[in-house]
Amino acid sequence: MLAGTSPLFTPAARGLWARRAPRYAAALALPAWALLLAMPVMTTPSACLGGSALAALASPARLANFVPALPWASHWLAMVCAMMVPLALPMLTLIEARSLPSQRARALAAFLAGHVTIWFTAGALFYGVALAAVAMPTGVLMVTAALSFAWHMNPLRARMIMACHRTRPLASGGVAGLASAGSFGAGHGLHCVASCGHLMLPLLFINHGALLAVTTMAISLHERGLRRPDPRAGALMLGLIWALALI
């Protein structure tokens, strides 16, 4: 690389951005990050609790503010697009390489639709867990945190992380190609939810900013980059995030 040349403008970087997969991921992730940064605090589900999950227990009337689905849906979808879509970039690149040129755009869209749909469905379940946890005695929320931490340290979760790297045969074109891309996206999303969903759950209980979202994404990136996933890599940060949720 020539002195004074930005890495963004090297031939390798230009070749990367010439592909569809990085552009599709960026088209979803960059606006989502901008939305998370610009979104008013009161549109987050956790903000409806008045600052923390335990604070809601002192004033049950606040629970009524936790129910509206539109603010939650927009916030969760933004988090998924900002944090989880970039993690799927290797699989998007694979989809692009194995699809016919005339169908690459549709195949990428099918993969993303399957992937995001799984995460959105998981978000609805997490939302229900969050609502139930704050409506019950304090101990239930603490048990939820303990179960989240226990799953983080479970060896089975390490297998789920490795499964996020698993590929499958894909049809190259036609309806079968779109169906296999969508199915691949959904399957990849299931493995991602199993390995990273518990990292997203505590974010529903606190008025988190972009910093905690970046922290969660960094934990996921670090663990996926390890040859043998080590749960200790993110255990401390997960504990700190849950501590913020309980305070």
Side-chain angles (χ1 to χ4, degrees):
M1 184 175 68
L2 297 177
T5 302
S6 170
L8 295 176
F9 299 101
T10 62
R14 287 196 295 268
L16 175 67
W17 288 104
R19 301 174 184 172
R20 290 180 185 266
R23 285 183 286 157
Y24 272 53
L28 288 178
L30 294 179
W33 277 113
L35 182 61
L36 287 177
L37 292 171
M39 188 177 287
V41 174
M42 286 306 295
T43 61
T44 66
S46 56
C48 298
L49 301 177
S52 72
L54 298 186
L57 298 174
S59 178
R62 290 179 181 171
L63 293 176
N65 296 326
F66 194 63
V67 175
L70 183 58
W72 162 81
S74 61
H75 187 256
W76 181 262
L77 186 59
M79 286 201 299
V80 168
C81 291
M83 300 162 62
M84 296 303 143
V85 168
L87 293 176
L89 182 56
M91 299 306 165
L92 286 170
T93 303
L94 179 68
I95 290 288
E96 181 177 8
R98 293 187 179 179
S99 300
L100 295 175
S102 61
Q103 194 162 331
R104 282 173 182 164
R106 292 187 294 250
L108 290 170
F111 177 91
L112 286 170
H115 187 75
V116 172
T117 297
I118 292 297
W119 267 107
F120 194 81
T121 303
L125 297 176
F126 291 160
Y127 180 79
V129 170
L131 184 58
V134 299
M136 294 181 181
T138 305
V140 175
L141 183 58
M142 294 182 177
V143 169
T144 302
L147 290 175
S148 172
F149 196 82
W151 174 246
H152 184 83
M153 304 299 293
N154 194 309
L156 181 58
R157 177 177 167 267
R159 295 175 60 183
M160 294 296 102
I161 295 176
M162 298 304 295
C164 290
H165 300 283
R166 188 179 301 157
T167 62
R168 66 168 69 173
L170 297 170
S172 59
V175 175
L178 295 179
S180 63
S183 174
F184 183 31
H188 186 263
L190 284 172
H191 291 138
C192 289
V193 168
S195 62
C196 301
H198 70 293
L199 299 174
M200 302 279 279
L201 181 59
L203 299 183
L204 294 178
F205 293 97
I206 51 179
N207 290 335
H208 68 86
L211 178 60
L212 287 182
V214 170
T215 300
T216 301
M217 184 175 177
I219 294 173
S220 300
L221 278 171
H222 177 70
E223 289 184 323
R224 292 195 189 190
L226 296 175
R227 185 179 297 272
R228 292 184 178 179
D230 185 353
R232 295 173 296 179
L236 177 60
M237 289 307 304
L238 177 63
L240 291 175
I241 293 173
W242 269 112
L244 290 174
L246 292 170
I247 294 174

